[in-house]
Amino acid sequence: MRQALIEHKLKGTMPGALADMIEKRLQGKVNWRAELRDAIEPEIKSHLSAKKRNRRGGAFDIILPGVVKEGIQVSIAIDTSGSIGQKEIMYYLGEIENLFKQFSQTDVRAHILMHHSSVYSVFSVQDIKDLDKIKTQSGGTSHLQVFELAEEMDSKVLICLTDGYSEFPEDTKIRKTIWIVTNAEGATQIPDNLGKKIVVPIEELCD
């Protein structure tokens, strides 16, 4: 069906509006929650350590090393400059909290960075309470301090919710950056070397 759509568009035998509507339906909606989970899970490394004994060795009266997981730091930056409303931010925070409940706190440490042109609030995902009482601030938009703080925290993964219209660093030491971008045109403003961009229109963010 997709191939037939392309052929009709090339031949000009289908109205543009109809072609766009069909193409959007074919594309479907991105499961951004699954994308975030799939980005984080591979970063949780493990190694064998004699400090943690494997219980199976007790049956044979020998000491076997156990598996120890290395905890990672994840930072989640939320752009509150005004393009993303309070309703969408609260919903996103709730979904982030649900996502990180799937991980042990010893495996994943996650912090929220609320920002506009600068970061004005930092708190742990585990400390999210009374979401409706969280006060957001509007202003200009920049991700420079976001990346600075995330690097200082030794974050292995940085997740950014934004409309894409911002100021960005030239590069980063962070291993993996995921952008949830609410504006397709805004996504083109984000440098390609700064991570993966997932476009989730604002009206689909809460679906």
Side-chain angles (χ1 to χ4, degrees):
M1 189 173 181
R2 188 180 299 278
Q3 182 61 37
L5 175 63
I6 293 173
E7 290 177 359
H8 278 292
K9 290 178 72 174
L10 290 174
K11 294 177 181 178
T13 55
M14 180 180 293
L18 177 59
D20 290 342
M21 182 181 70
I22 295 175
E23 189 168 21
K24 286 181 180 179
R25 289 185 177 275
L26 287 176
Q27 289 175 348
K29 295 180 180 178
V30 176
N31 188 340
W32 58 270
R33 303 163 190 83
E35 291 273 359
L36 297 186
R37 184 179 63 250
D38 293 344
I40 295 168
E41 285 180 338
E43 299 302 320
I44 304 174
K45 309 299 182 182
S46 59
H47 65 274
L48 295 176
S49 174
K51 293 182 180 180
K52 183 178 181 181
R53 294 187 178 184
N54 188 322
R55 294 179 181 178
R56 293 181 180 179
F60 303 97
D61 197 27
I62 58 175
I63 297 176
L64 295 177
V67 176
V68 177
K69 290 186 176 181
E70 301 175 9
I72 65 166
Q73 169 68 40
V74 177
S75 292
I76 303 101
I78 302 180
D79 172 10
T80 66
S81 59
S83 55
I84 302 174
Q86 183 80 2
K87 174 185 174 183
E88 288 77 22
I89 291 173
M90 292 302 103
Y91 183 88
Y92 184 77
L93 283 171
E95 290 298 310
I96 287 294
E97 182 183 29
N98 291 334
L99 171 64
F100 281 92
K101 282 180 179 178
Q102 301 175 32
F103 301 107
S104 164
Q105 292 187 34
T106 57
D107 294 343
V108 180
R109 301 178 301 278
H111 287 82
I112 304 287
L113 283 63
M114 308 288 282
H115 75 100
H116 37 62
S117 58
S118 61
V119 177
Y120 61 83
S121 182
V122 179
F123 54 92
S124 168
V125 167
Q126 286 78 21
D127 292 336
I128 294 179
K129 297 175 182 177
D130 301 323
L131 294 180
D132 57 333
K133 295 181 181 179
I134 294 177
K135 302 299 183 183
T136 60
Q137 300 178 18
S138 60
T141 310
S142 174
H143 279 80
L144 296 180
Q145 192 180 21
V146 165
F147 276 81
E148 288 176 4
L149 289 178
E151 289 182 5
E152 288 177 8
M153 291 180 178
D154 195 27
S155 298
K156 304 305 180 188
V157 180
L158 171 61
I159 300 166
C160 299
L161 172 66
T162 181
D163 65 358
Y165 295 98
S166 184
E167 184 181 14
F168 308 99
E170 292 184 0
D171 52 31
T172 179
K173 298 178 182 177
I174 298 171
R175 184 182 301 167
K176 187 180 293 183
T177 303
I178 308 295
W179 300 85
I180 304 298
V181 193
T182 59
N183 185 295
E185 185 177 342
T188 64
Q189 308 300 312
I190 302 171
D192 291 335
N193 68 310
L194 290 184
K196 181 177 181 179
K197 294 171 277 189
I198 304 172
V199 178
V200 183
I202 195 73
E203 64 272 12
E204 295 180 10
L205 185 64
C206 301
D207 288 352

